[in-house]
């Protein structure tokens, strides 16, 4: 009887172990139900549920060049982005651009409204290693931002990059 009570208590008090997504240069723990797959040079991560999804995360990595530095990322993210064509497209609203330390790396973090899709907020995280430029984006419908942003932050906090 005590064994059954201990098992029940552990199921309630201990969070289930999260799935780990591994790639050649990094790994991270996924929020419950999320899954990732490689799409050419990017990794596309989706929350549980059927399309159309209210959120999507994209992790892009490339060989680092002279433009892959925090200042260049920050300068770019301080510019409003245009959805649609030059004449009729709307410009995004920039909510913030700042630097933040996640794990052992400094990142440029930004939030734009309407930079990728109308009615979606997009969170950007960019960093580099000695060999890679790394960009993470999360586009989330405004009605679901609280839920998915919290899940993304949990995933990003577990991100381990294997290159310095």
């Amino acid at each position: 009887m005590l064994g059954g009570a201990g098992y029940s208590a552990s199921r309630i008090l201990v969070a289930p172990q999260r799935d780990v997504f591994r790639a050649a240069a990094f790994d991270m723990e996924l929020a419950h139900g999320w899954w990732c797959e490689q799409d050419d040079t990017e990794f596309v991560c989706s929350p549980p549920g059927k399309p159309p999804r209210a959120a999507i995360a994209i992790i892009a990595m490339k060989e680092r060049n002279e433009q892959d530095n925090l200042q260049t990322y920050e300068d770019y993210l301080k510019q409003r982005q245009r959805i649609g064509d030059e004449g009729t497209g709307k410009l995004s609203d920039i909510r913030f651009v700042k630097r933040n330390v996640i794990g052992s790396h400094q990142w440029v973090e930004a939030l734009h409204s309407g930079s990728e899709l109308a009615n979606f907020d997009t969170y950007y995280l960019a960093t580099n290693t000695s060999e890679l430029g790394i960009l993470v984006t999360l586009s989330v419908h405004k009605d679901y931002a609280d839920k998915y942003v919290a899940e993304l932050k949990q995933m990003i906090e577990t991100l381990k990059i294997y290159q310095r």
Side-chain angles (χ1 to χ4, degrees):
M1 185 151 108
L2 286 177
Y7 174 78
S8 296
S10 71
R11 299 288 294 165
I12 294 169
L13 299 175
V14 178
Q17 189 171 15
R18 300 193 296 184
D19 290 332
V20 176
F21 177 71
R22 288 184 174 85
F26 73 96
D27 69 38
M28 71 178 177
E29 294 178 16
L30 298 175
H32 180 72
W34 280 72
W35 51 276
C36 299
E37 60 187 5
Q38 189 166 3
D39 183 14
D40 197 23
T41 60
E42 302 171 336
F43 300 92
V44 178
C45 302
S46 302
K50 296 179 182 177
R53 291 185 171 71
I56 186 169
I58 299 172
I59 303 167
M61 295 185 187
K62 68 179 191 71
E63 219 172 279
R64 184 177 176 188
N65 64 35
E66 63 277 350
Q67 266 96 45
D68 290 305
N69 62 71
L70 296 179
Q71 189 60 54
T72 302
Y73 298 154
E74 190 171 22
D75 292 345
Y76 179 79
L77 290 170
K78 286 181 178 178
Q79 299 174 34
R80 296 173 72 192
Q81 304 300 308
R82 183 179 304 277
I83 299 178
D85 64 42
E86 189 67 33
T88 60
K90 294 177 93 176
L91 290 172
S92 65
D93 292 323
I94 300 170
R95 304 290 183 195
F96 64 79
V97 178
K98 62 184 179 181
R99 293 198 187 186
N100 193 9
V101 175
I102 301 171
S104 60
H105 293 282
Q106 188 174 50
W107 294 75
V108 176
E109 182 179 358
L111 169 60
H112 286 227
S113 293
S115 62
E116 305 283 336
L117 297 165
N119 297 316
F120 277 71
D121 288 338
T122 300
Y123 292 82
Y124 299 94
L125 289 162
T127 194
N128 59 350
T129 69
S130 61
E131 298 175 26
L132 296 174
I134 303 167
L135 174 66
V136 178
T137 63
L138 171 72
S139 292
V140 59
H141 191 278
K142 290 179 181 183
D143 293 346
Y144 299 91
D146 289 343
K147 174 182 180 179
Y148 290 121
V149 169
E151 289 181 357
L152 175 75
K153 286 185 178 182
Q154 289 174 352
M155 292 189 295
I156 292 301
E157 286 173 0
T158 68
L159 182 69
K160 293 179 191 84
I161 300 170
Y162 302 133
Q163 299 181 357
R164 295 195 185 275

